[in-house]
Amino acid sequence: MKLTILGCYAATPRTLTNPTSQVLEIKNRLFLIDCGEGTQVQLRKNKIKFSKINHIFISHLHGDHLYGLIGTISTFSLLGRTTDLYVYGPKGIKELILLQLKLTESWTTYDLFFHELESKESEIIFEDKHVIVKTIPLKHRVYTNGFLFQEKPAERKLNVGAVQDYDIHIAYYQKIKNGGDITLDNGTVIENDKLSFDPAPTMSYAFCSDTVYNEDIIPIIENADVLYHESTFLESEAALAQKTLHSTAKEAARIAVKANVKHLVLGHYSTRYDGLERFKEEAEEIFQNVLLGDDGVSFEF
C-alpha cells in the first residue's frame, strides 16, 4: 500500500504548498482522494499516470478540497481519455461540475458518473473483488465524510507439497484456495490448514478530512493500519480549532490511540506556522508512530 501526498495544507494554495489531495495505491488500484487547486499539476510532478485514476473521492465541498476537480476532469479530456471516471462526493457535486462543463461547452470525452452522498451513517460506496471503501461521517462546518479503504482477503496459498502427498486432483485446487476442506475417496477429511497457507495480511487506510475532534469515528477506523487525520492547529490554537471545527495535532493523536491504529499521518496544516516539526512533537507526546504528511512525500506500508 502506497500513499502519495499531493497537497496537505489548509486554505489557500501558495508557491511552495498545496491544498489537500492525495493518491492511494492499494491492490494495484489508484484512488484520488480530495482534489484541491492544482491537483493535476501535482499529479504530473509526482509522475502519477492520469489514466490509472478511475475513482475520485471528495470529502466535502470546501474549495481547498474541491476546486481542482473541474481542472482535473478537463485535463483528462484534453488528453483524450475514453475510460469511465467515477466521482464520489456530497450531494450537489454533480450539479456543480456539470454546470461548469455546460457553461464552458467542455463536455468530457469519456463517461462521467457521480455517486452523491448524503447519509450521516457510515456506508459502503465502492466495492470490487479486491477493495472496499466506506464513508467515515465527520463533523465540520459543512457535510463531510472521510473514507476507509480496506483490502479484501486474498485467496489462500496452495501447499503444493501437501496436495501432492494426498494425491488431490487439480480440480479441487480452487476449493482449497477458497478455504475448503477436502474429503478423500476413503472418506478421510483433510482440513484446509494442512493443504494451504494463510494469505498476506490485509491492509486498511483511513482518511479523515476536516473535522473537529470526534470519537464517534473510532469504531469505524479501529485497528486501521494507517490513519490520516487532519491536524490544522497546534495546541496553542486549540480554541480556534473548536471554533472552526478543526483538530489539533494532539487531538489527532488521541484518536489514533483510542482507535488502536498502527501509523498516524498528519496533514491539513494551517499556514500560520513556520514549520511542521512542532506538529510531530505534540502528537508524539500521545502517540508514537507519527508521520508528517507534506507535499510530494510518499509512504509505503
Side-chain angles (χ1 to χ4, degrees):
M1 186 170 71
K2 181 179 180 180
L3 176 66
T4 301
I5 307 293
L6 304 178
C8 66
Y9 289 80
T12 59
R14 301 183 298 174
T15 55
L16 297 177
T17 63
N18 295 274
T20 302
S21 186
Q22 53 187 244
V23 172
L24 178 69
E25 182 177 351
I26 182 170
K27 286 287 186 179
N28 295 317
R29 286 148 178 75
L30 293 187
F31 297 112
L32 179 61
I33 310 170
D34 275 351
C35 201
E37 298 102 315
T39 290
Q40 72 269 50
V41 177
Q42 288 300 99
L43 287 169
R44 286 191 183 279
K45 283 184 178 179
N46 289 276
K47 298 180 180 180
I48 295 172
K49 291 185 177 181
F50 294 175
S51 60
K52 290 189 175 181
I53 296 173
N54 297 323
H55 302 271
I56 301 176
F57 297 84
I58 303 297
S59 63
H60 63 295
L61 301 185
H62 276 167
D64 56 334
H65 298 257
L66 170 71
Y67 285 167
L69 182 57
I70 185 62
T72 299
I73 287 172
S74 297
T75 297
F76 285 1
S77 275
L78 291 171
L79 295 175
R81 180 188 179 103
T82 57
T83 305
D84 297 345
L85 181 67
Y86 298 84
V87 177
Y88 307 77
K91 186 176 181 180
I93 194 169
K94 179 178 180 178
E95 179 183 2
L96 179 63
I97 295 300
L98 292 186
L99 179 61
Q100 293 177 88
L101 293 174
K102 175 184 176 181
L103 295 181
T104 58
E105 298 184 9
S106 303
W107 298 112
T108 59
T109 56
Y110 52 89
D111 288 334
L112 184 59
F113 298 93
F114 293 90
H115 185 143
E116 294 196 304
L117 309 173
E118 52 185 330
S119 174
K120 294 184 179 180
E121 303 293 329
S122 180
E123 60 180 338
I124 296 172
I125 58 174
F126 171 83
E127 184 173 9
D128 65 10
K129 291 182 180 180
H130 302 287
V131 179
I132 186 169
V133 183
K134 301 175 183 177
T135 57
I136 306 169
L138 301 174
K139 293 183 179 179
H140 192 43
R141 300 191 302 276
V142 298
Y143 175 75
T144 306
N145 284 298
F147 304 103
L148 176 65
F149 299 81
Q150 296 173 299
E151 292 181 348
K152 289 185 175 181
E155 292 182 337
R156 297 184 63 80
K157 298 177 182 178
L158 201 67
N159 183 336
V160 177
V163 168
Q164 291 176 345
D165 288 343
Y166 285 108
D167 195 26
I168 296 174
H169 192 274
I170 190 173
Y172 295 101
Y173 285 6
Q174 189 59 51
K175 181 180 179 180
I176 295 171
K177 291 179 181 179
N178 292 340
D181 299 335
I182 298 297
T183 302
L184 303 181
D185 291 341
N186 63 9
T188 302
V189 176
I190 309 300
E191 295 178 351
N192 186 270
D193 58 6
K194 294 180 180 178
L195 302 173
S196 66
F197 302 108
D198 291 337
T202 59
M203 300 201 73
S204 58
Y205 173 66
F207 170 82
C208 290
S209 179
D210 297 13
T211 183
V212 72
Y213 180 81
N214 176 21
E215 293 186 2
D216 292 345
I217 69 175
I218 290 171
I220 304 171
I221 67 173
E222 195 168 17
N223 299 320
D225 291 282
V226 186
L227 166 65
Y228 171 92
H229 195 291
E230 75 119 287
S231 54
T232 307
F233 297 108
L234 295 173
E235 206 62 22
S236 54
E237 281 71 48
L240 187 55
Q242 284 290 322
K243 180 180 179 180
T244 58
L245 299 187
H246 281 293
S247 298
T248 66
K250 277 191 174 182
E251 288 173 332
R254 290 190 188 102
I255 292 292
V257 169
K258 291 178 181 293
N260 193 39
V261 304
K262 293 183 178 66
H263 302 277
L264 170 65
V265 180
L266 300 179
H268 201 266
Y269 315 109
S270 169
T271 54
R272 71 184 59 229
Y273 304 109
D274 294 332
L276 302 182
E277 280 304 316
R278 282 185 293 166
F279 287 90
K280 191 171 190 290
E281 291 169 2
E282 289 196 358
E284 283 181 336
E285 292 177 17
I286 296 169
F287 183 81
Q288 289 303 305
N289 296 327
V290 177
L291 300 169
L292 282 175
D294 203 357
D295 296 4
V297 172
S298 293
F299 304 104
E300 293 200 34
F301 302 97

